[in-house]
Amino acid sequence: MPRTADTPMLTRREAVEIAHVPLGALDKAIEQNIVTVHKRRDHSWLSSDDVGVVALLQKTALPLPITVKRKIRRWVRETEPYRPGNGTELHISDALIVRWSADISETVHAAESYARLREQWIETNPAIKGGEPVIRSTRIGVRAIAQRIDSGDTIATLTEDYPQIPAEAFQTARTYARAHPRRGRPARPWRNADETLDRRGPLPLAG
């Protein structure tokens, strides 16, 4: 994963998971050079403010010309309307004004937070569970976390079961699991059983 200390970066699927936009809409923005893609390893990475751009374009629900979309992108990059005190309107013409809303700012902040927490809490190590992503310093698989939440468990329940792990780690694990589904053949039944978290008590931290 890329360093996120200066510029929070997300994969395409992480971006659409957080922005709640179709993957096709993001890919179209990439093809039209509306957002910038950074190729690293086997992923295409986007900056957190580009996630906001895609979310904003999706909310306009209008077939804007590519030149207008690129103007919106430049405006976001130069003015950072998601920062407190910055301008939130772009005058395209006398008849068209683009307004940056609070919920788009929340999307950008969520992307920034997720990128930071992913680096802090998600670990992929070939020596741990065959390279399955886990919560850092444990053997708790992120897909097992997502499975429990999707099955009805709450974050509060998970923190009761594993008090040494903060709630933000579980939420980050769920988002990561949704954005990084297991590749290849479906998991075998005995592997599914191994993925299920032990409800008898907290797992020890890896040494």
Side-chain angles (χ1 to χ4, degrees):
M1 299 174 187
R3 295 176 62 86
T4 60
D6 298 320
T7 304
M9 303 290 284
L10 295 87
T11 68
R12 291 165 52 252
R13 293 190 178 277
E14 288 172 343
V16 300
E17 181 68 28
I18 289 175
H20 305 294
V21 301
L23 182 60
L26 174 58
D27 286 342
K28 183 176 181 180
I30 293 173
E31 291 171 4
Q32 294 177 339
N33 197 28
I34 308 302
V35 298
T36 303
V37 170
H38 306 269
K39 291 287 188 179
R40 295 191 176 115
R41 300 179 186 176
D42 59 344
H43 290 297
S44 298
W45 298 86
L46 298 97
S47 64
S48 54
D49 58 351
D50 271 348
V51 177
V53 170
V54 174
L56 175 61
L57 293 177
Q58 186 71 12
K59 286 181 71 69
T60 63
L62 292 173
L64 298 174
I66 293 178
T67 54
V68 172
K69 294 179 181 179
R70 291 175 180 169
K71 185 174 183 178
I72 292 172
R73 175 64 185 96
R74 287 195 300 272
W75 169 63
V76 173
R77 177 177 293 175
E78 293 170 1
T79 68
E80 298 186 336
Y82 46 88
R83 302 300 182 199
N86 291 1
T88 58
E89 290 187 355
L90 172 64
H91 289 248
I92 303 297
S93 69
D94 291 340
L96 180 61
I97 299 175
V98 174
R99 290 189 174 91
W100 185 275
S101 60
D103 59 330
I104 302 297
S105 290
E106 291 175 4
T107 295
V108 175
H109 297 324
E112 293 175 334
S113 176
Y114 169 77
R116 174 179 58 82
L117 293 172
R118 179 196 60 208
E119 298 301 310
Q120 180 178 353
W121 289 110
I122 307 302
E123 178 180 15
T124 302
N125 186 335
I128 301 176
K129 299 192 71 172
E132 284 288 321
V134 299
I135 293 180
R136 190 175 299 279
S137 299
T138 78
R139 295 181 60 84
I140 303 176
V142 300
R143 295 188 179 99
I145 292 293
Q147 183 180 27
R148 279 191 61 173
I149 296 174
D150 291 343
S151 297
D153 280 352
T154 65
I155 298 296
T157 298
L158 291 170
T159 55
E160 288 177 3
D161 288 348
Y162 306 96
Q164 77 276 31
I165 300 173
E168 65 183 18
F170 293 121
Q171 188 59 57
T172 303
R174 186 193 192 194
T175 301
Y176 185 93
R178 286 174 174 267
H180 298 268
R182 183 181 286 112
R183 297 179 179 179
R185 297 178 179 177
R188 296 175 176 86
W190 53 88
R191 185 167 186 175
N192 283 340
D194 182 61
E195 280 288 315
T196 302
L197 293 182
D198 188 349
R199 293 174 179 264
R200 293 173 295 179
L203 294 177
L205 296 178

